[in-house]
Amino acid sequence: MAKNPEMTFKYIFTYDYSPVYINGAHGGVSPRGELVMNFYLERQPLPNALSYEITPAGSIGAETGVEPADLGQSLVRQVVNGVVVNLQTARELHYWLGEKIREMEALEQARGAASAIRAEDLTLKSEATH
């Protein structure tokens, strides 16, 4: 039987390659028909400034002000990076993500089953000693 041709892909990482954590994305279809995805990290904002009273003893006392004033009612979506892909690449990413999600779900299910077995073993051991 004839062997099918083969191709090997080699991965080259740039010197500044640095994976980042994201927990969301925003984007859509561009006027050129490409998918634009901007990835962000959603977090509590940090204040620009905090003011405190100084106690008679010279130490920092109670907080007297915060800038911006709406700090407690705000969240930050820090856009970390983004990608632009054409329809074919979007389809390939969709397929790849589906495969990886199935792998993750299988691992999660296996871990849950293993935890249940360990819990049952502990219960049996506990009952055996009482």
Side-chain angles (χ1 to χ4, degrees):
M1 184 193 256
K3 185 178 175 184
N4 287 335
E6 185 177 283
M7 180 178 290
T8 300
F9 290 92
K10 298 193 178 202
Y11 294 87
I12 299 173
F13 294 84
T14 62
Y15 74 93
D16 60 346
Y17 171 75
S18 178
V20 295
Y21 177 79
I22 62 160
N23 56 18
H26 185 271
V29 179
S30 76
R32 293 179 178 247
E34 297 168 315
L35 181 61
V36 178
M37 294 179 284
N38 297 299
F39 300 108
Y40 60 79
L41 171 64
E42 190 171 79
R43 61 174 178 77
Q44 296 288 332
L46 296 173
N48 293 333
L50 292 173
S51 298
Y52 295 90
E53 74 177 30
I54 304 298
T55 67
S59 62
I60 295 175
E63 185 179 296
T64 59
V66 62
E67 200 178 295
D70 68 345
L71 186 72
Q73 294 81 38
S74 300
L75 286 175
V76 170
R77 286 185 171 172
Q78 180 180 355
V79 179
V80 180
N81 51 34
V83 296
V84 179
V85 297
N86 63 27
L87 180 58
Q88 182 58 36
T89 302
R91 285 182 178 131
E92 292 167 2
L93 286 171
H94 180 263
Y95 176 81
W96 183 82
L97 281 170
E99 291 292 310
K100 298 306 162 195
I101 289 168
R102 281 187 281 284
E103 287 178 27
M104 292 171 76
E105 289 171 341
L107 283 171
E108 192 174 79
Q109 187 175 16
R111 286 185 185 128
S115 294
I117 290 170
R118 282 193 299 274
E120 186 177 320
D121 287 346
L122 289 173
T123 301
L124 292 174
K125 288 179 184 176
S126 175
E127 290 172 355
T129 60
H130 293 263

